[in-house]
Amino acid sequence: MALSSMTGFARSHGASGPYAFEWELKSVNAKGFDLRMRLPPGWDELEALAKKRAGEVLSRGTVYANLNVKRANAVSTIRINEDVLASIVKVAGVLAGKIDAVAPSIDGLLSIKGVIEVVEPESNELEDKAAKAAAALAFEQALTDLVEMRRREGVTLGQILSQRMDEIERLAKKAEAAPGRKPEAIRARLAEQIAALLDTSDRFDPDRLNQEAILIAAKADIREELDRIASHISQAREMIGKGGPVGRRLDFLAQEFNREVNTCCSKSNDLELTNTGLEMKNVVEQFREQVQNLE
């Protein structure tokens, strides 16, 4: 399976009988999967089918689905509700005898809600049923196109993530080869510090200082962190190569990368090693940001 992005856009058109319709699908990043639909009145029955199909092919992302429907030769007519108008006129006449007010105008009466009704043309049940079936097929096409676009973006994301893994591996090797983390370099720095302390005071125990130096050298060793980083690189490459909905797992792995790199930086007692760790931390953050777009 290939990697898939959570972002994408698709559009499909269709027609059936007097109806012409258009679907627009747009997906954005989200922790889980959600399909949000906007359907014209009377077309709500498409929602259950659309959610079922989308849930079968998508595992993450919020998808906004909008259906626009037009009906040919469908001219709405305007009708005045005589009963409502008569009631309003009667009430106006009663009030006119009680208060000093200007008589209502025609446009004022017609602007009152319920006086004017918009009458839609009668629909044909068979035509409506056929149109909704055709709209369901058009949604299927739009969904297919959306999935394909997300996969194409996923391929690009996979290449970027692989490049980030190469950079992290290069920096990890650079950290491992840093002269400052070699035992002899650590011993030399500690020896200088101990010598300086002994020169300033005779109250220091050389044997105790030697033991403390050994402990400090052990704490400064980043061998375990580098081994775990190498393991994380291997896991990330495997997941990227395998594909599928691995966004959450790679996000967790990015957090593990960050933890190990932070430990390397905190243990570092050498400027070059610290700079390498900070550079690695920056690449890990770039990796994490790209992972946020994966399904």
Side-chain angles (χ1 to χ4, degrees):
M1 297 177 65
L3 293 174
S4 290
S5 168
M6 282 192 285
T7 60
F9 178 83
R11 179 185 285 126
S12 68
H13 303 266
S16 176
Y19 293 99
F21 42 82
E22 177 187 73
W23 282 100
E24 283 189 358
L25 271 60
K26 180 179 70 173
S27 67
V28 296
N29 295 354
K31 291 183 178 180
F33 171 71
D34 185 24
L35 176 63
R36 303 181 184 181
M37 306 192 70
R38 291 179 58 190
L39 301 172
W43 294 70
D44 296 339
E45 63 190 73
L46 293 176
E47 184 170 357
L49 175 64
K51 287 190 173 182
K52 180 177 181 297
R53 284 295 300 125
E56 290 172 352
V57 296
L58 301 174
S59 60
R60 290 183 72 194
T62 296
V63 179
Y64 298 91
N66 184 38
L67 174 63
N68 294 310
V69 179
K70 293 182 179 180
R71 185 179 178 186
N73 303 320
V75 180
S76 301
T77 58
I78 303 299
R79 181 178 66 188
I80 296 178
N81 190 319
E82 299 286 352
D83 294 335
V84 173
L85 180 60
S87 298
I88 294 173
V89 171
K90 183 179 179 180
V91 171
V94 173
L95 292 176
K98 296 181 179 180
I99 61 175
D100 184 16
V102 179
S105 62
I106 293 178
D107 58 342
L109 290 171
L110 295 180
S111 65
I112 298 174
K113 185 177 181 180
V115 173
I116 294 181
E117 298 176 344
V118 179
V119 181
E120 300 292 342
E122 293 185 4
S123 60
N124 181 288
E125 184 177 350
L126 292 178
E127 289 179 346
D128 290 354
K129 185 176 181 180
K132 290 173 183 175
L137 291 176
F139 175 81
E140 187 76 29
Q141 181 59 54
L143 182 62
T144 300
D145 293 345
L146 179 68
V147 170
E148 179 58 30
M149 181 177 182
R150 286 170 47 135
R151 285 178 178 169
R152 288 199 302 270
E153 291 192 7
V155 170
T156 301
L157 282 174
Q159 294 171 348
I160 294 173
L161 294 176
S162 294
Q163 291 172 2
R164 297 295 176 267
M165 285 299 98
D166 292 343
E167 292 177 34
I168 293 173
E169 184 177 46
R170 176 184 63 80
L171 291 169
K173 290 180 178 178
K174 182 179 178 181
E176 185 171 10
R181 69 171 297 269
K182 295 184 180 300
E184 54 271 21
I186 295 175
R187 282 196 298 268
R189 284 196 300 273
L190 290 174
E192 291 177 2
Q193 296 170 3
I194 292 171
L197 288 172
L198 291 175
D199 287 341
T200 58
S201 175
D202 57 358
R203 298 175 59 187
F204 293 103
D205 182 357
D207 293 334
R208 180 59 185 272
L209 286 174
N210 185 60
Q211 293 175 3
E212 291 296 329
I214 293 174
L215 291 175
I216 293 172
K219 290 180 180 179
D221 186 21
I222 60 171
R223 176 71 269 159
E224 290 186 9
E225 286 73 23
L226 292 176
D227 288 343
R228 282 194 288 269
I229 289 174
S231 175
H232 296 338
I233 292 172
S234 177
Q235 293 179 58
R237 284 174 171 163
E238 181 180 354
M239 281 188 272
I240 293 170
K242 183 179 180 181
V246 295
R248 283 195 184 94
R249 294 171 61 192
L250 284 173
D251 185 48
F252 173 77
L253 204 56
Q255 298 176 40
E256 294 298 305
F257 269 121
N258 194 56
R259 183 177 293 109
E260 302 303 337
V261 174
N262 282 338
T263 304
C264 287
C265 290
S266 65
K267 284 186 173 184
S268 173
N269 54 8
D270 177 73
L271 180 60
E272 180 183 351
L273 188 56
T274 299
N275 289 337
T276 301
L278 292 175
E279 188 177 352
M280 195 186 312
K281 183 177 176 65
N282 182 54
V283 178
V284 168
E285 179 59 23
Q286 294 174 4
F287 175 81
R288 189 194 66 81
E289 288 176 355
Q290 293 295 344
V291 164
Q292 303 305 308
N293 299 315
L294 278 181
E295 184 177 13

